Amino acid sequence: MAAPATAIESQTLSTLPGDDVRQVMWRLSDRYDLQMFVQAVRQVARGPVARLVAAGARNTHNWTAEKAELLHHFDECGVTGVFMDPHQGGFIEGPKNVAMALAAFELAWVDAGAATASLAGDLALSPIHERGTQEQRDRYMSLAAPPKAGEDRKPWRGAFALTEPIPYVGVDTGMLSGKVRVVSWEKGLEPMLLVEKRGRFITNMGYANFVTAAVDSGDERIKGSCMIILEEGDPGTFDRGTPTKKLVHQLSSTSDPIFSLTVPASRIVGGYSVKDGVIIPRYSHDEIIAAVFKHTRVPVGIMTAAKLLSAVEPVIRYQRSRFRGAQQAKPGSPRYELGLQVREDVLHRLVDVWSTGEASASLGFATARLFDELDPLEKVKASILEQKGISGRGELKFFKEVNARAVELVQLRTKPVGDRNEKRVAELEADPLVRYAIVDSAAAVLCPATKLWSTGYGATVMREAVSLMGGYGITEDCPGFLGNKWMDAQLEATYEGPEAVQRRQLSVCMGNEVFLAQYEAWVKELRRIAGERPDTGACELASAMRLWLYTYRHLLSATDAEGEKLMQGPRQGVNFPLSDALAWLMGARALVLDVVELADKGGANPVLAEGLAGLVRFYEDLAHVHAARASGEVGRICAELVYGYSRHPVWGAEARKVCYDTTELEELEDLIPGIGSCAVDVLGQGGTHPDKAGPCARCASVADFAALRMKLDQCLTGSRLAKDRAAAAVSKVMIPEALDYPA
Ligand SMILES: Cc1cc2nc3c(=O)[nH]c(=O)nc-3n(C[C@H](O)[C@H](O)[C@H](O)COP(=O)(O)OP(=O)(O)OC[C@H]3O[C@@H](n4cnc5c(N)ncnc54)[C@H](O)[C@@H]3O)c2cc1C
C-alpha cells in the first residue's frame, strides 16, 4: 500500500457491513415485517437457489423439474405473495415497492435469473394491479396467491407478453402485430373476441397459466389497442413455443409463445365501454405499460446493485489468499496475510466496485421508497380527477396550476425556518395534488435513472469484479458466481426497456419544472451537507449538479455550427448523454444521503454504536470516491456537449473563440484578424468581442461554463485521499472464514 500514513486514520471499518448497516441506510429499522421477509428470502437464495447454480442447473436454457422446485420455495418464503394485499392472499398492507426491491436484492445476490422468475409473475399481474377492474384484480391476485396452510391449491403463474417477433414490438412498443377481433356479439350478451398474438422472449412462459398480452385492434368494432388477459384453458391455441436459447438468467423460463384464443371482452384490462357499436377499451396498451414499467423497473436496477455488492466478499477472500504459495510467505507476513492486497491497484479497483454497488443500491432503494410514497397519492389524484371529470389533455392543463404551487412549495421548503411563510407551507403541504406533483416528478426521473445507470454502468463494473478474480472469474467455479452475474447484468440492462428507452424517458422528464425546482433544492442541500461533512464528496457533487443544470439550460437555446437547435427529441446525441449524466448524479447523491443517514441514526442501533465512527468514516470515503467518479463523468459529458457542436476555429470560416495561449493567439491574429480579443475573454483575461462592446453571448456563456467546470475540478480535492483510506480499510476488514453459499 502506497497510501501516506498520515492520510489513514485509525478508526475504520472492522467487519463487512451487515443487515444493521443496511437497515439504517435504507430506512428499514422500523420495518420488522420487511426484516423478517429478508431473512426468509435469503434462506431460499443462499440455499436452494445457490445449490442449483452450483450443481450446474444454468447449463441448460430448458425449464427443468429442478428449476420448477424453486417456485414452491418462492411460495413458501413469501416472495410470491409479496405483491398481493392481505385480502388477496398477501401479507403486506399498503405499498410494496420496497418489499419487492428487497426480494430482488436478496435473490439476485446469488442469481438474478431466480430473481427474474419471481418478479416476472408480478410483472404479469401488474397490468391488472395498476389498471384492472376490481373483479379482475380480485380474481387473478387470489388465483396467483400462494396456498395458505392446509389449502390444497396450485397457485396460478403469469407471464407478460409485449415483445413480438422481429420486425414488430421491441424497444418501440407501438409496432404491435398482435390483433384482437370480434368473433361473435349477440344482442344483450358480452362480445367474444379472437386474440392472435405471437410473443418473443416471454418470461415464465414454460409454465404460465395466464398471460397479459398487448394487442392492437384488427376490427373496426374495436377502438385502438389494449392489454387483454388470456388463460390456459381458453378455446383455441395456447402454444408455449420454443425455449429461448439464453446465455443468461437460465433459472427463469423464457420462450416465444403463439396464442390464438377466444375470450370474453371482460378480459380487456380495465374494462371497456360501447359507443355506436364500437368497443372502447378504457386504457390503451401504452397507457397500461407506462403505469406498469414505472414500478417494475426499479427492482431490475436493484438486481445489478446486489450483484456488485455480493462480489466484495469473494474478491477480498481471493486476494488475501493469493500469494500464500510463495516461499517467503510465512503466516503473519504481509504476503501471507494480505496476498494480492499488498498491491494498491487491486484495492483501488475493488473500492470502485464497492462504491458503485453502494450507490446503485442507495439509488434503487431511495426510488423504491419514493414509489411507496407515490402509490397512495396516485390513487387520491385519480379519484380527485375522476370527481372533477378531468382526463386526457385536460389533465395536463389542470396540472399547470398544480405544478406552479408545487414549485412554490419546493422553493419555500429550501428557505430557513423562520424566514419562510409557515402558514403557506402548511396550506400547500395539505394539498395531496401538490404532494403528488412533487413526488411524481422526482419518481419519473429516478426510476429510469435507476434502471439505466445501475444496470448499464453496473454491467461494466461487474466486468471489473470478474477481472479481479483473474482466470477464476470466467469459470463456472468462481466463488460468488461472478462470471454469471456479469453476463446476467446485460439482460438486466436490456429487458423492460434497454438503455435507449430509459434515456428517452429521462430526457423528457428532466424538463419538468417541478423536478428542476427540486433539483435546485437538492444542490443547496448538498452544499449544506458539504459544510457539515465535507468528506462525503457532497461539495464536488453539488458543483457537478450545478454544471449539469447550466449545461441543460444552455442547450435549451443553443444551436450547432449549422444553426440547428441542439435540444430536440430526435437529437439523441445531445439528450441521451445529458440523461446519462443526470443518472450518474442521482446515484452519487443517493449514496451521500444514505451515508448522512448512517452517521445521524447509526448511533441509535446498539450493534452499530460502538464502531460507528470507523464505519461512517469508511462510508464517507466510498461516497467521496464515487462522487469524484460521477463528477468527472458529468464534467466530461457536459464539456463535450457545450463545446462539441461548435466548429473548431482553424477549420471554420467564422472562427472566433477557443483556448489559444497568448503566443498562439498572436500567430492566429495574423491568420484570422479579430479572433484574439474574444478568445482572450473566454480565458477570463479581459478583452472584448471585435464587433461589440463586450464578449458575444456565446463567448460569455462558454466563459461561465469554463468557470463552473474549473470549480468542479478544484472540488475534487481530497477524493484520492479518500480512495487511499478506503483501500486501506478494505485490506484490514475482517471477513468470515467461508462464503455462506456454495461455490
Ligand atoms: C431473457 C429475456 C426475457 C425477456 N422477457 C420478456 C417478457 O417477459 N415480456 C416481454 O414482453 N418481453 C420480454 N423480453 C424482451 C425485452 O424486453 C426486449 O428484448 C427489449 O425490450 C428490447 O427489444 P428488442 O430485443 O426488440 O431490441 P430492439 O428494439 O431491436 O433494440 C435494439 C437496440 O437498438 C437500439 N434502439 C432501438 N430503438 C431505439 C430508439 N427508438 N432510439 C434509440 N435506440 C434504439 C437500442 O440500443 C436497443 O438496445 C425479454 C428479453 C429477454 C432477452
Side-chain angles (χ1 to χ4, degrees), residues 160 162-163 170-171 200-201 203 246 491 496 498 500 504 572:
F160 172 91
L162 169 65
T163 310
V171 164
R200 177 169 56 112
F201 304 152
T203 306
K246 287 181 292 186
L491 177 57
E496 294 207 30
R504 208 165 47 191
Q572 297 178 339

Side-chain angles (χ1 to χ4, degrees), residues 19 131 228 251 284 317 333 337:
D19 286 335
R131 294 290 182 267
I228 196 155
L251 292 195
S284 71
R317 186 171 294 105
S333 69
E337 301 301 335

Side-chain angles (χ1 to χ4, degrees), residues 142 232 246 309 315 366 402 418 459 463 492 541 552 605 624 678 740:
S142 308
E232 195 180 4
K246 287 181 292 186
L309 290 175
V315 171
V402 177
R463 193 201 70 83
E492 288 129 46
L541 196 53
Y552 170 72
N605 181 320
H624 201 163
C678 199
D740 67 352

